[in-house]
Amino acid sequence: MEQETRLTESQPASPGTVRPGGRTAKVRRAVLDATLDALADTGFHTLNMDGIAAAAGVGKTTVYRRWGSPVGLVTDLLHDMAEQSLPASDTGSLPGDLRANAELVRATLTDPRMGAVFRAVIAAAGCDEECARALGAFYRTRLGEWAPVVTRGAARGEVPAGTDPAELLRAVSAPLYYRFAVTREELTGAVAERAVAAALAAARDGVFLPE
């Protein structure tokens, strides 16, 4: 298996920059699934390359050559999560779309497995610049995918024309992540609804217009 999955370069590629097909894609899928399971079960600081290789049924040399380190595994997992994430909603109204966004964030963070994964990747990003860049790229991708809901809302007159989509969407999710990562408070539906209401009120007052 290691011969079949060996990269052609003498040095490992940056995680997330190689988009292999065939058997190599299956190896990547197995390794990333094992990484996600390990993050959910025990967190980032116990992530072990040998253990990931064993769980994925892949040779250790392949894992070390391709991903290089636990940070490399987490970085590639974040790229994969961005690629696999659900498309934005289109409920017909901006409030409805923002509620769908908030509920998606809330459901993800309160899911026992995915909540643990996000705690782990946030911890990894806090101690490694490469992982921090990957986490930032993940959220920029998600913001870009949801930006059209704000553009459509502005076209319907629900918020001022020129409202910055990314800033409005950040205002919706920021209170949820604060409770999740900082204060460890319960994320209820009411919390999500308040975040949407506050973000919408600010947008309608022009807070998210370019300066």
Side-chain angles (χ1 to χ4, degrees):
M1 181 177 295
E2 291 183 13
Q3 278 298 122
E4 294 167 345
T5 59
R6 181 170 295 153
L7 296 176
T8 57
E9 294 86 358
S10 60
Q11 296 297 323
S14 297
T17 63
V18 177
R19 291 293 173 264
R23 192 174 183 93
T24 303
K26 293 179 181 177
V27 168
R28 180 177 182 247
R29 179 77 272 142
V31 169
L32 294 185
D33 286 347
T35 300
L36 188 146
D37 289 341
L39 289 173
D41 291 341
T42 60
F44 171 71
H45 294 293
T46 59
L47 195 62
N48 178 274
M49 300 287 279
D50 291 1
I52 294 299
V58 176
K60 291 187 292 184
T61 303
T62 297
V63 175
Y64 279 98
R65 182 185 297 116
R66 171 109 189 248
W67 286 275
S69 69
V71 168
L73 289 169
V74 173
T75 298
D76 199 16
L77 178 63
L78 284 166
H79 286 294
D80 183 68
M81 288 167 63
E83 294 165 0
Q84 302 298 325
S85 58
L86 294 174
S89 296
D90 186 358
T91 66
S93 75
L94 181 57
D97 291 341
L98 294 181
R99 289 188 187 99
N101 178 271
E103 182 54 34
L104 177 60
V105 172
R106 190 186 76 84
T108 300
L109 298 182
T110 57
D111 178 82
R113 196 154 192 79
M114 289 309 299
V117 170
F118 272 90
R119 287 196 194 283
V121 297
I122 289 170
C127 62
D128 185 271
E129 184 59 32
E130 181 184 2
C131 192
R133 287 194 298 269
L135 185 60
F138 169 82
Y139 281 110
R140 283 191 297 275
T141 297
R142 295 302 291 144
L143 289 170
E145 289 171 348
W146 279 83
V149 308
V150 180
T151 303
R152 291 194 299 264
R156 290 189 294 258
E158 295 169 296
V159 291
T163 294
D164 188 317
E167 289 302 323
L168 174 49
L169 290 163
R170 287 189 186 102
V172 170
S173 60
L176 306 181
Y177 278 99
Y178 180 83
R179 286 173 178 257
F180 172 76
V182 179
T183 63
R184 300 290 186 100
E185 296 175 80
E186 185 180 5
L187 288 178
T188 64
V191 169
E193 182 63 30
R194 277 199 304 273
V196 170
L200 270 173
R204 287 165 177 161
D205 282 345
V207 170
F208 304 124
L209 290 172
E211 296 182 358

